[in-house]
Amino acid sequence: MEGDVRNKARASWDMGSLPPVECLRIERSDSPTPDLVEGTEPGAGQQAAMFVHSRSVEDLPAEADEDAESRVEPQPVADGDPGSSETFGTSENGLQVEENIIEVAQAPKESSWAESRTKEEDICSDGWRSHRKHVFVLSEAGKPIYSRYGTEEALSSTMGVMMALVSFVEADKNIIRSIHADGYNVVFLSKSPLVLVAVSQTRQSDKEMIRELQYIYYQIVSLLTLTQLNHIFQAKKNYDLRRLLAGSEHLIDNLLRRLDRDPGLLLSAVTCLPLASSSRDAVSASLQAAKAPSLVFSILMKDQYLHHMDLHLVFNLVCSSSSSFREGEGWTPICLPKFNSAGFFHAHISYLEPASELCLILVSTDREEFFSLSDCKQRFLERLRKRNAYQALKEAVKTPSYSVDLVGIPELRHFLYKSKSSGLFTSPELPGVYQSEEGQERLMGLYQELHSRLHHSTRPLLSIYRCGETENFMAWLTSGFELYLCLTPLVTKMQAVSAVNKLLKWIRKEEDRLFILSPLTY
Amino acid sequence: MLIVSPRMAAVTQEKQYTPSLLSFFVYNPSFGPREGEEEKKILFYHPSEVEKNEKIRNVGLCEAIVQFTRTFCPTKPAKSLHTQKNRQFFFEAEDSYWIVMIVKNPMVEKPNKDGKPPTIEYQEEEVLDTVYGAVLRQCYSMYKLFNGTFGRAMEAGGVELLIPKLEKFFYRYLQTLHLQSCDLLDVFGGISFFPLDKMTYLKIQSFVNRVEENLRLVKYTAFLYNDQLIWSGLEQDDMRILYKYLTTSLFPRHSEPELAGRDSALRPEVSGNLLHYGRFLTGPANLKDPDAKFRFPRIFVHTEDGSEELHLIVYKAMSAAVCFMISASVELTREFCERLDALVGPQLTLLASDICEQFTLNRRISGPDKEPQFKFIYFNHMNLAEKSTIHMRKTASVSLTSVHPDLMKILGDINCDFARVDEDEEVIVKAMTDYWVVGKKSDQRELYVILNQKNANLIEVNEEVKRLCATQFNNIFFLD
Amino acid sequence: MSAMRVDTKVVMLGKESVGKTSLVERYVHHRFLVGPYQNTIGAAFVAKPIQVGDKVVTLGIWDTAGSERYEAMSRIYYRGARAAVVCYDLTDSSSFQRARFWVKELQNCEEHCKIYLCGTKNDLVQADRGLRQIDFHDAQDFAEEIGAQLYETSSKTGNNVDELFQRIAEEYSDSAFQYMSNEAGVDLSQKKDSYFYSCCHNN
């Protein structure tokens, strides 16, 4: 347990500000065991199998110009207005790539359509009541906007009651938070002009539920922009927002599914760091990313910070959208609410190849830039091919995750590791015991519970060891990382402690590949 | 209750308010089903000076919340409502009889410059549902102990009888609620047992047998020493609430004479003669007083087919207290009380001395009392036995704890986690203050340990708890 | 690789779930996807070369989302379009109302855009005549009134789909020849006119 982070030279930066490139390197020592051997990877042939779910941020080569020094210095953020047209030193072909956020993401393996909406449920039936987590969205006039299960029509009186409760408590200059009963909780989130309500049988804390409702709220904002949303309800209090959201229910459905399964949303672990580096760096970054298997390598061109929530919303959009992106190119307005809730960005969404899992997302501030971005994609693809990176990328995608067995700790079933400085996390495949839908949700539920205890707003904890009949858990929070281990039951504390140390050593050793913390050098 | 936070007091005069009772009411929705008669639903409302419409509004909200949650689970309606400013706890004590307790969240008041009103920050996560839910249920149990069920009063005299009963009881009882010091022990509502060697235990048992044989009227007996239970003939749940009454209300009010030092085991008169320190804690204060009244509190205990009403006689000699319960249908006379006093007084005095002596002896064997590195709370769900080295002696007003309130709340959080799954579990956490907190649940037992060993690691903490279990609990907790 | 060499812009318009994407899928990829309805997000672009006589014309097809949410920005998709396929569902009379709306929109904003009315899901109507809600002759009258051509198609069977797009390509080819059009290609990048931004920036 000695692997605590000692490096004090951490840069603190706010959303929207730019950490210098050096900073990123310094922060490497924020990883668990800086005093351990530097990661010189033995057996490079093994690498491909070890790649990990991680997301990273690198620069993208805007053009073929390999002259690193010719790049412009990053600019300060112009209060996040995507509409403001800043001028940057641009590349030879005049394309304003700097205004674009570019990332490559792997498309989800799971079919986002697996769960077709079973809307026509009887809301008085036991089946309807037994859903693990209901989510409702309504307007302040009490009009239904979204319901995860059952039709909004059938639920309109229930939603009316919800709104009545909210306003009744408000009348006392008070705010309703939640209702607790045996086996389930009801959590309220008022985000004028919307009210969101979750009814959950999970063991999640109110705080966790609120976080999920916030995701749903921002999902809606990302479809409409907050400005438009406010405008609509100012003009007409009892507007039926379903008209505007028609067809996007499945976006919310899918987001809810991701919230139940994706540790990234729990850990807030997808952040993109702004970074301006040379195109050579960028090309090697794409190479590096190509090695990084499962997915994601995300590229942020400008000195802007993309909030993990916005990134998750983009991912959700891509993962939820129809196959029409697959062979064509998508061009859709999207509001990134954490970045700017007032306006739309425009996302160019395309798969690198029709059959490919690799999806490229280019985000532009300019709605007219479709063809520029389309060109940009082509050039990016060509460059990847030229450098043989594309093949590597495709190879990596075939083995997007790694087995926990690679770590070589028999007692270890699964883990989550988040490097706080980079906002990246790594986690192996789910082992057999947790592969079923229930198993996966149960494991996530247990992680969520540990997470909410560690991050309690008034009684935070440094570490938790929990031993139960079906598994043991260890959770540990330091200034540099956050770690959750799921161990076999009956493991002794001695074994558990040694498992933690071994795992930290392993992560340190694999760090370069797991997190893409340092640029490749040739 | 207001506590001026010492840290900040000098600079900004920040004020910290602890949780307190905002209101407490009892209602039955079936008593005023029609519009316009809502007031009839309300059987008791504290504070009574609240304006009528306000009362109706607040009761209406509770009804709405309960009704709303039935949409999602018809059989398990709401138990609590969290709002920014307060927590409301709902308890359906009897069919359609709801008791609601509203607790104000603790808050910090920060003064503002320029005469602006102070900023108030509500600390919304400080009130634990499990703790205050238990306090609410305890309120009802206590009412029921002295009054029987609501339904019983309704049968006997309708709302005209029930309402005054509620008012009489809760008016006084609510003043004794000390919400700021409620904690995990309220959740357990356990009974502290006095540790005793077999010989002394047999002596007590034979004393109880002798008394019950001589005083045939006595239906149940309970024996306590030092506010801890040794023997009880009552059912567990009845004893639990009676124990709560004795230790938090009756004994603290009568504790003064014992504090005078007569309890010492070194007293020379201790052998064989008929020393008599006995006295009635309920009923007549002084038997020799010709105007003495022989009225005792009545309590209701469970029977197979409902409940029975009993006189509660509490008789005490030094640190030993005995409760004798006699059917309420019998009139208790001066003659009976004198007989009881004459029979029990000397024997109990002697027994109290014996116990005290034995206890002191045992303590000496087990070595000098040095402040241990840990503090713990133990509770056994099967026999309601509880043990705490965290809580100091209870006083009439508050039960003091020797650890930081945040640590107590962490215990509460762990207990909450335990309650949600019905399996054995162990949790070891390290708090931000570097204290270690350990919770164990095994079979029906729960153990919580707080260790103040900043530099210990998980394995050392585990070893420490293992030792504790070996010495204190004969290894009833299985460890790796 | 140079997929962007597009000769003319074709935009698909119509109420959601009338089958715009299915129509494009059928035409471009010769397939019909069965499964739960997936709505289009924003718009999808695909380029399709098509033989017209001895020339190859590349259609740049914009498949737009039917959802009302995107209505405010639909202009960026149809601006500069030479042809618009305004779709309605033969089994849904409200979709025809929506089609009228799009026609009016195009007449107001894009007078040079040729309109093709397209009644979809013809296979359903063939299977059960009772399902038809839009009378062929009513549609025909409307088409004549606005100077449009009318097609009834089935993306499931492929009926009339190729014919529709072939016709679009041919008519483009004719007119291009006629006017010796100088600016081949799509003009999404013209900067004038910020109608779309009015919804999110001006208030």
Side-chain angles (χ1 to χ4, degrees):
Chain A
M1 309 258 285
E2 308 309 319
D4 207 342
V5 172
R6 289 170 201 100
N7 175 35
K8 298 282 179 279
R10 289 203 312 135
S12 67
W13 64 75
D14 301 314
M15 219 199 279
S17 72
L18 176 80
V21 180
E22 299 78 63
C23 176
L24 196 79
R25 298 193 180 130
I26 291 166
E27 274 161 25
R28 293 189 66 230
S29 30
D30 254 2
S31 49
T33 45
D35 41 352
L36 288 174
V37 190
E38 281 286 323
T40 41
E41 298 87 16
Q46 204 186 327
Q47 281 185 357
M50 284 194 176
F51 291 129
V52 179
H53 254 291
S54 74
R55 288 160 175 143
S56 164
V57 190
E58 291 297 340
D59 208 335
L60 179 88
E63 13 66 48
D65 180 11
E66 306 267 352
D67 181 11
E69 279 63 50
S70 73
R71 305 290 297 184
V72 281
E73 283 302 303
Q75 308 281 310
V77 182
D79 55 60
D81 181 1
S84 72
S85 56
E86 304 161 64
T87 40
F88 290 93
T90 50
S91 44
E92 290 160 351
N93 60 7
L95 182 66
Q96 293 200 317
V97 193
E98 281 82 357
E99 284 205 333
N100 306 313
I101 300 156
I102 301 177
E103 60 196 50
V104 181
Q106 185 200 13
K109 280 249 151 62
E110 61 193 287
S111 159
S112 45
W113 299 96
E115 192 184 51
S116 65
R117 286 174 70 76
T118 46
K119 282 294 230 174
E120 284 73 35
E121 273 181 77
D122 178 5
I123 64 152
C124 292
S125 68
D126 287 344
W128 183 81
R129 286 178 183 136
S130 65
H131 289 298
R132 272 175 88 245
K133 194 183 288 167
H134 286 275
V135 173
F136 307 94
V137 182
L138 43 142
S139 72
E140 282 176 325
K143 274 226 167 176
I145 293 170
Y146 169 82
S147 162
R148 190 180 191 185
Y149 307 106
T151 62
E152 289 86 9
E153 286 78 14
L155 287 160
S156 65
S157 70
T158 304
M159 297 208 210
V161 174
M162 289 172 181
M163 195 55 232
L165 294 176
V166 170
S167 24
F168 194 93
V169 174
E170 235 167 46
D172 272 344
K173 299 192 173 55
N174 198 351
I175 306 164
I176 192 166
R177 303 286 195 209
S178 58
I179 300 171
H180 294 242
D182 279 334
Y184 65 98
N185 298 340
V186 187
V187 179
F188 295 83
L189 175 66
S190 235
K191 280 272 193 187
S192 184
L194 305 182
V195 172
L196 299 97
V197 182
V199 180
S200 163
Q201 298 177 14
T202 65
R203 293 170 60 170
Q204 285 166 290
S205 65
D206 285 9
K207 208 171 124 194
E208 301 280 330
M209 290 309 305
I210 291 292
R211 196 177 51 81
E212 297 196 354
L213 289 179
Q214 260 159 351
Y215 263 109
I216 304 302
Y217 168 74
Y218 284 117
Q219 176 71 72
I220 293 172
V221 170
S222 93
L223 292 166
L224 299 170
T225 73
L226 185 57
T227 311
Q228 195 185 343
L229 192 63
N230 285 330
H231 186 73
I232 288 164
F233 285 104
Q234 272 157 21
K236 198 172 166 214
K237 261 196 154 47
N238 61 352
Y239 183 82
D240 185 354
L241 197 65
R242 281 180 303 164
R243 283 180 55 191
L244 281 188
L245 292 178
S248 56
E249 296 90 347
H250 72 282
L251 275 178
I252 303 178
D253 291 348
N254 273 350
L255 185 59
L256 283 166
R257 272 169 64 80
R258 292 165 75 84
L259 283 164
D260 283 340
R261 285 134 195 260
D262 185 347
L265 285 96
L266 171 71
L267 298 172
S268 304
V270 176
T271 40
C272 283
L273 298 179
L275 174 66
S277 68
S278 69
S279 34
R280 171 181 283 278
D281 268 355
V283 172
S284 40
S286 45
L287 269 172
Q288 177 80 332
K291 283 181 179 174
S294 100
L295 92 132
V296 173
F297 107 88
S298 14
I299 300 158
L300 191 77
M301 285 304 295
K302 227 163 83 176
D303 50 325
Q304 281 167 347
Y305 178 102
L306 196 52
H307 193 275
H308 62 86
M309 183 172 295
D310 287 344
L311 202 47
H312 277 302
L313 292 177
V314 172
F315 289 152
N316 189 50
L317 176 79
V318 174
C319 298
S320 307
S321 44
S322 69
S323 53
S324 48
F325 292 146
R326 247 180 212 276
E327 286 161 67
E329 294 160 76
W331 183 239
T332 184
I334 177 169
C335 169
L336 302 174
K338 286 284 177 183
F339 191 90
N340 177 359
S341 65
F344 282 113
F345 285 92
H346 296 268
H348 179 279
I349 303 165
S350 61
Y351 287 81
L352 292 186
E353 276 179 3
S356 168
E357 295 289 339
L358 287 164
C359 177
L360 177 73
I361 307 166
L362 307 163
V363 181
S364 169
T365 54
D366 189 340
R367 71 185 196 281
E368 310 285 1
E369 286 296 300
F370 173 81
F371 288 108
S372 313
L373 292 188
S374 192
D375 283 350
C376 182
K377 174 209 167 184
Q378 289 305 329
R379 280 200 317 280
F380 173 70
L381 205 54
E382 279 160 31
R383 185 157 314 105
L384 282 181
R385 287 216 173 91
K386 225 184 276 170
R387 301 187 150 264
N388 293 324
Y390 188 57
Q391 197 51 39
L393 197 59
K394 284 212 302 202
E395 280 304 310
V397 165
K398 285 184 193 157
T399 49
S401 53
Y402 58 99
S403 157
V404 71
D405 297 340
L406 276 182
V407 186
I409 306 170
E411 302 83 29
L412 185 64
R413 281 185 176 173
H414 193 251
F415 68 89
L416 307 176
Y417 174 90
K418 176 189 173 186
S419 148
K420 278 192 183 171
S421 58
S422 61
L424 306 171
F425 83 99
T426 179
S427 173
E429 285 160 12
L430 289 171
V433 256
Y434 303 111
Q435 262 169 8
S436 70
E437 197 153 304
E438 299 77 40
Q440 193 179 352
E441 283 175 4
R442 202 175 72 84
L443 179 64
M444 267 303 285
L446 291 161
Y447 280 139
Q448 282 167 343
E449 212 175 307
L450 293 168
H451 182 268
S452 70
R453 287 283 181 238
L454 278 187
H455 295 273
H456 195 282
S457 57
T458 53
R459 306 183 284 282
L461 302 173
L462 292 169
S463 72
I464 302 173
Y465 184 78
R466 172 181 294 173
C467 137
E469 288 176 5
T470 43
E471 59 269 294
N472 288 357
F473 280 98
M474 176 96 184
W476 190 16
L477 189 63
T478 73
S479 55
F481 65 86
E482 196 172 333
L483 176 64
Y484 301 84
L485 276 79
C486 173
L487 301 151
T488 51
L490 302 176
V491 73
T492 65
K493 277 148 204 129
M494 199 80 90
Q495 288 171 311
V497 169
S498 107
V500 171
N501 290 328
K502 268 194 225 161
L503 177 61
L504 288 176
K505 250 179 227 174
W506 183 82
I507 292 172
R508 173 63 179 166
K509 186 161 76 73
E510 304 295 323
E511 186 174 51
D512 280 356
R513 282 173 294 172
L514 297 175
F515 292 112
I516 318 169
L517 291 175
S518 58
L520 277 187
T521 43
Y522 287 89
Chain B
M1 185 188 248
L2 169 81
I3 296 169
V4 176
S5 164
R7 285 174 289 129
M8 307 293 290
V11 196
T12 58
Q13 289 204 317
E14 190 174 279
K15 287 180 194 162
Q16 166 84 50
Y17 295 84
T18 58
S20 59
L21 185 67
L22 179 67
S23 51
F24 187 101
F25 44 89
V26 181
Y27 71 90
N28 186 327
S30 65
F31 289 176
R34 276 182 295 274
E35 220 169 301
E37 352 180 281
E38 288 86 353
E39 201 187 358
K40 289 187 184 164
K41 294 175 189 174
I42 307 171
L43 301 169
F44 173 78
Y45 201 104
H46 165 89
S48 56
E49 54 276 16
V50 169
E51 195 251 328
K52 184 182 102 181
N53 286 328
E54 179 70 16
K55 287 180 185 170
I56 291 172
R57 250 178 71 87
N58 292 338
V59 169
L61 175 64
C62 299
E63 282 189 82
I65 296 275
V66 166
Q67 202 50 44
F68 167 65
T69 49
R70 289 197 202 275
T71 320
F72 299 99
C73 186
T75 53
K76 291 175 189 160
K79 290 175 84 178
S80 71
L81 168 69
H82 298 200
T83 68
Q84 181 197 30
K85 293 183 180 173
N86 58 52
R87 286 273 173 104
Q88 313 200 0
F89 298 91
F90 313 113
F91 175 47
E92 188 176 18
E94 292 170 32
D95 190 28
S96 292
Y97 287 93
W98 288 83
I99 313 183
V100 177
M101 176 170 79
I102 307 182
V103 179
K104 280 196 247 179
N105 281 331
M107 56 184 186
V108 180
E109 195 180 275
K110 292 174 179 163
N112 277 322
K113 287 175 201 142
D114 315 326
K116 270 188 274 179
T119 316
I120 292 173
E121 256 173 40
Y122 295 93
Q123 298 172 321
E124 299 184 40
E125 297 203 53
E126 297 307 288
V127 173
L128 296 181
D129 273 11
T130 45
V131 170
Y132 292 90
V135 168
L136 177 58
R137 288 193 299 278
Q138 211 171 63
C139 288
Y140 171 67
S141 298
M142 200 63 90
Y143 170 87
K144 204 170 64 166
L145 178 69
F146 290 104
N147 296 281
T149 60
F150 298 151
R152 188 180 167 278
M154 278 302 290
E155 272 171 35
V159 281
E160 290 74 19
L161 179 68
L162 179 58
I163 288 175
K165 261 183 184 295
L166 290 168
E167 273 168 4
K168 189 173 163 221
F169 176 80
F170 283 115
Y171 175 74
R172 285 183 49 193
Y173 184 72
L174 293 180
Q175 294 175 0
T176 69
L177 283 183
H178 296 278
L179 295 183
Q180 73 280 7
S181 58
C182 293
D183 60 33
L184 189 56
L185 283 194
D186 292 283
V187 176
F188 295 146
I191 296 169
S192 178
F193 285 90
F194 188 79
L196 213 55
D197 63 299
K198 205 161 195 151
M199 267 312 292
T200 321
Y201 183 77
L202 286 175
K203 271 189 202 171
I204 291 164
Q205 211 170 17
S206 79
F207 160 80
V208 171
N209 289 341
R210 263 200 317 279
V211 175
E212 286 187 352
E213 209 154 293
N214 282 299
L215 302 167
R216 288 275 170 185
L217 283 177
V218 173
K219 208 157 177 184
Y220 308 102
T221 311
F223 194 106
L224 296 92
Y225 185 85
N226 220 2
D227 291 6
Q228 292 173 298
L229 187 66
I230 293 177
W231 200 92
S232 159
L234 278 179
E235 242 183 66
Q236 235 174 40
D237 271 343
D238 293 324
M239 191 58 228
R240 167 190 246 173
I241 192 69
L242 178 61
Y243 179 78
K244 176 82 187 167
Y245 163 71
L246 295 171
T247 53
T248 60
S249 177
L250 187 70
F251 292 161
R253 277 189 272 133
H254 293 89
S255 61
E256 298 77 24
E258 277 78 20
L259 293 177
R262 293 185 299 175
D263 229 6
S264 164
L266 301 171
R267 274 157 26 83
E269 305 97 320
V270 109
S271 59
N273 55 29
L274 288 177
L275 266 173
H276 184 304
Y277 281 120
R279 64 200 175 96
F280 287 95
L281 296 192
T282 60
N286 183 354
L287 276 179
K288 299 192 173 75
D289 180 355
D291 297 328
K293 294 275 194 312
F294 297 91
R295 275 212 303 273
F296 293 86
R298 309 272 185 98
I299 62 167
F300 291 79
V301 300
H302 293 97
T303 59
E304 266 169 33
D305 50 352
S307 67
E308 64 178 321
E309 194 174 358
L310 302 166
H311 295 288
L312 174 65
I313 301 172
V314 184
Y315 190 87
K316 195 171 184 187
M318 301 196 286
S319 289
V322 194
C323 304
F324 299 109
M325 283 148 277
I326 294 165
S327 174
S329 56
V330 181
E331 180 116 359
L332 292 181
T333 60
R334 172 185 289 271
E335 188 265 327
F336 175 80
C337 293
E338 281 172 352
R339 248 182 78 207
L340 188 148
D341 183 59
L343 177 73
V344 175
Q347 289 193 46
L348 189 60
T349 308
L350 185 62
L351 207 45
S353 303
D354 280 359
I355 298 169
C356 181
E357 200 169 338
Q358 200 57 46
F359 181 60
T360 319
L361 209 65
N362 287 345
R363 272 237 298 247
R364 246 180 246 131
I365 292 165
S366 68
D369 255 358
K370 71 166 195 273
E371 181 74 3
Q373 287 281 352
F374 51 77
K375 296 197 153 75
F376 68 88
I377 294 178
Y378 164 84
F379 180 68
N380 182 342
H381 288 270
M382 280 178 298
N383 62 2
L384 305 183
E386 95 185 356
K387 197 166 178 179
S388 167
T389 61
I390 289 173
H391 296 76
M392 321 227 230
R393 202 185 161 82
K394 280 183 180 126
T395 68
S397 57
V398 277
S399 73
L400 295 166
T401 58
S402 52
V403 302
H404 192 275
D406 275 354
L407 286 173
M408 286 309 292
K409 280 170 199 141
I410 290 175
L411 295 187
D413 292 338
I414 295 175
N415 165 260
C416 223
D417 289 349
F418 283 167
R420 281 189 282 187
V421 271
D422 189 28
E423 37 176 82
D424 289 359
E425 258 192 277
E426 176 176 4
V427 171
I428 303 176
V429 308
K430 194 178 191 189
M432 282 296 176
T433 48
D434 281 332
Y435 273 93
W436 286 89
V437 179
V438 181
K440 280 170 159 307
K441 183 179 153 200
S442 175
D443 212 356
Q444 295 282 306
R445 302 176 179 89
E446 290 179 39
L447 174 68
Y448 300 86
V449 187
I450 296 175
L451 292 105
N452 179 15
Q453 286 169 313
K454 291 190 198 312
N455 297 318
N457 63 31
L458 183 71
I459 295 165
E460 287 158 0
V461 167
N462 191 46
E463 288 303 313
E464 193 69 39
V465 174
K466 239 183 207 173
R467 266 199 295 282
L468 168 74
C469 289
T471 55
Q472 298 271 346
F473 303 106
N474 299 320
N475 283 323
I476 47 178
F477 292 98
F478 299 104
L479 293 135
D480 57 53
Chain C
M1 275 296 57
S2 50
M4 283 320 118
R5 289 216 43 89
V6 165
D7 297 308
T8 185
K9 176 174 177 179
V10 180
V11 63
M12 312 292 295
L13 295 170
K15 194 188 165 184
E16 62 183 317
S17 79
V18 298
K20 297 179 290 299
T21 303
S22 293
L23 200 58
V24 175
E25 279 279 323
R26 164 57 72 185
Y27 175 58
V28 177
H29 304 297
H30 315 290
R31 64 186 177 193
F32 181 74
L33 299 174
V34 192
Y37 168 69
Q38 307 177 18
N39 60 306
T40 306
I41 290 171
F45 175 83
V46 66
K48 171 76 176 178
I50 177 171
Q51 191 77 34
V52 180
D54 54 352
K55 280 194 304 185
V56 172
V57 172
T58 301
L59 302 181
I61 304 172
W62 280 95
D63 176 21
T64 68
S67 166
E68 225 179 293
R69 176 170 73 255
Y70 297 106
E71 184 181 307
M73 54 202 67
S74 60
R75 177 119 176 78
I76 68 168
Y77 303 119
Y78 65 68
R79 191 171 56 229
R82 289 304 189 83
V85 180
V86 177
C87 302
Y88 61 94
D89 180 345
L90 290 170
T91 67
D92 172 11
S93 59
S94 72
S95 69
F96 196 68
Q97 290 308 310
R98 196 71 187 147
R100 286 176 183 273
F101 162 85
W102 285 116
V103 167
K104 199 181 273 171
E105 187 88 356
L106 288 165
Q107 287 172 331
N108 289 338
C109 308
E110 292 294 327
E111 49 179 329
H112 298 300
C113 178
K114 267 192 89 71
I115 297 172
Y116 298 81
L117 268 182
C118 178
T120 60
K121 307 186 190 175
N122 198 17
D123 52 290
L124 294 179
V125 177
Q126 296 301 323
D128 177 3
R129 300 213 163 265
L131 287 175
R132 184 184 272 273
Q133 291 196 6
I134 308 300
D135 184 74
F136 176 77
H137 298 288
D138 291 351
Q140 188 73 53
D141 291 347
F142 179 59
E144 271 168 29
E145 175 193 328
I146 59 169
Q149 314 215 19
L150 175 68
Y151 284 82
E152 288 191 347
T153 61
S154 163
S155 303
K156 193 172 181 182
T157 65
N159 174 245
N160 241 358
V161 175
D162 286 352
E163 288 84 343
L164 166 65
F165 286 97
Q166 189 67 36
R167 183 61 179 266
I168 292 171
E170 282 165 7
E171 292 201 348
Y172 162 74
S173 188
D174 292 351
S175 65
F177 180 74
Q178 223 169 345
Y179 303 112
M180 295 303 272
S181 168
N182 47 359
E183 43 157 16
V186 186
D187 196 3
L188 247 178
S189 52
Q190 57 185 31
K191 297 270 182 187
K192 58 174 193 201
D193 184 319
S194 279
Y195 164 73
F196 150 63
Y197 270 151
S198 65
C199 79
C200 45
H201 286 283
N202 298 349
N203 43 40

